[in-house]
Amino acid sequence: MGLCKVSGRVDRILFNIFLVLVAQSAIWQYNSPGLQLVVAAGGGSWEVVVRNAGIASMHTAVTHFGNVVLLDRTNIGPSLLPLPNGICRDNHRDQASKHDCTAHSALYTPGTNEVRPLFIFTDTWCSSGQFRADGTLVQTGGNLDGFSKIRTFTPCASGEDCNWVETETNLQQGRWYASNQQLPDGTAIVVGGRGAFTAEFVPANGRGQYHLPLLTETNDAQNDNFYPFVHLLPNNRLYIFANRDSILYNWEQQITLKRLPTIPGGPRNYPSAGSSVMLPLSAADDWATAEILICGGSEFGAFMDPRARLPASQTCGRILPLAANPEWAMENMPMRRNMGDMILLPTRQVLIINGAENGSQGWGFASNAVLNPVLYNPALAPGTRFDTLTATNIARVYHSTANLLPDGRILVAGSNSHEFYTFSPMFPTELRIEAFSPPYLAAGARPAIVAVPGALGYGQNFVVEVEYAAVPRGDIELNLLTAPYVTHSYAQGQRLLQLGVGAPVRTAAGGYAIATRAPPSAVILPAGYAMLFAVANGVPSEAAWVHVT
Ligand SMILES: *[C@@H]1O[C@H](CO)[C@@H](O)[C@H](O)[C@H]1NC(C)=O
């Protein structure tokens, strides 16, 4: 949690921080590894890929060069990653360190595991972002001197020299804890934030900022509506969820079209973070069916009384927002979880990973890290959808992230439950980066994409050539995934499209040729780079990046 400038609740929040600090020596024992929740289970494997990244990544995004932008906040004092060549950051508006020779962003390269420091000037704390059509990461807001900033990072191959750029254009309203979603018109909508009950567009293209009654109405005593869940639906409306409520929103006319039913259970957004995905869209029904899944969260009150260590939510809710009368279908996860990340896998399953069993978001507000990821199979019958997977031994609580890599692994970074870099026993600032290999990477031969056009137009027919050592039992799936901006347990802009495929045809070279078609429009997939995976017998290939415009 942050020390906010605007909230009338700051006194109580500060008092709670005080209580937590006083109580910390007693509480930390609850967080010793022996009392973390580990369920005996199988499936998947963990590897520490970087022992000391030097920064704890609060925001993480995979670029179309396959390297990964790690981004912490600047206003956090020195990190353990020096800036190169004697470069320092002299920012008189930084409250923690006005002369700072350490990096707060870095570029990580999977495989070589190199971490290259990046330079960022203004505070990016609790910011938001999206990749735009040309592959540039557009990152918005933050705190203090970064509150209204718009920054860009135009990615490059590892070994080249790309870096952050602070643009001259500002947000119309400062935004801290907002969510972004790339839109069919090539701009991103930026929704909400602390004390910001509006949406705006980046670039604005003449538009202003627009009041969102949902955000005002869901602003409860804990402000449980930061980092709202925002999904672009296949009818070009937005699904926006905050706290326990959601709407259909016409972004072109800035009109709330419909209020959906309240989800059962407690709040689901920061500081009571659950997470959310839109389940895969499919060519099989002409992209018509959109279904939203929200899992976990905290009990109301957990943030206001962090000493209580209230139990996290164990429920997930599923809803069809475009149905005539949408209703929540509820189900139970194998264990309670808040601050979980939900990641769409190339196999059209959902991985729920990271988080804790008690408390809420906020510095030192959680206990009982959940070390087991769970796999959710949306296509199976209720009651059979969850598998508990192999545990890590590294707690990933507040300010941790998870991202799908093009090689099919999940990159797990960050976790900092403290105001500064603090290596005390209670969930120390976590500088290790791990990769989790889901069970599909140990499930037999992997297909390999050997030929695919790199650039695709909407609706374009094309052929993908796949090498595969076994005979596929059914069709070889071709699934397209965007690279989201992941922070605070929510992957902004994440979507999975299951393309329509012809039957695999043997090629002279001994592989398979699969006829398919690019997504029909920017509503189904806003222009940009995406990862194309071939999936055979439940095993995904490595991704090929395609540029769809
Ligand atoms: C955490 O939540 C569990 C329920 O899942 C509860 O039994 C326990 O008392 C809570 N508090 C702590 C500190 O573990």
Side-chain angles (χ1 to χ4, degrees), residues 50 52-55 70 81 105-109 112-117 433:
V50 180
N52 180 5
I55 70 166
L70 311 175
L81 182 65
S105 181
L107 194 66
Y108 163 71
T109 303
T112 67
N113 296 320
E114 181 207 3
V115 175
R116 174 167 78 82
I433 300 177

Side-chain angles (χ1 to χ4, degrees), residues 192-203:
R194 185 186 284 263
F197 305 125
T198 61
E200 64 178 281
F201 301 85
V202 173

Side-chain angles (χ1 to χ4, degrees), residues 27 30 35 307-312 314 336 357-359 367-368:
I27 289 171
Y30 287 114
L35 282 172
R307 288 172 307 163
R309 305 288 183 199
L310 293 179
Q314 198 169 345
R336 301 173 180 279
E357 203 200 356
N358 293 74
S367 61
N368 293 335

Side-chain angles (χ1 to χ4, degrees), residues 26 38 104 116 128 153 157 172 199 251 267 270 397 428 431 435 465 470 514 518:
V38 181
H104 301 284
R116 174 167 78 82
S128 48
F153 179 82
Q172 301 180 47
W251 62 269
Y270 178 97
V397 290
L431 302 179
E465 276 181 49
I514 302 147

Side-chain angles (χ1 to χ4, degrees), residues 37 335-337 354-357 368-372 392 396:
L37 183 71
M335 69 279 281
R336 301 173 180 279
R337 191 183 307 250
N354 298 342
E357 203 200 356
N368 293 335
V370 184
L371 300 178
N372 296 84
T392 176
R396 303 281 179 176

Side-chain angles (χ1 to χ4, degrees), residues 49 89 157 183 194 205 325 368 422 447 529:
V49 292
R89 190 175 139 267
L183 296 172
R194 185 186 284 263
N205 292 354
N325 295 299
N368 293 335
T422 304
Y529 287 89

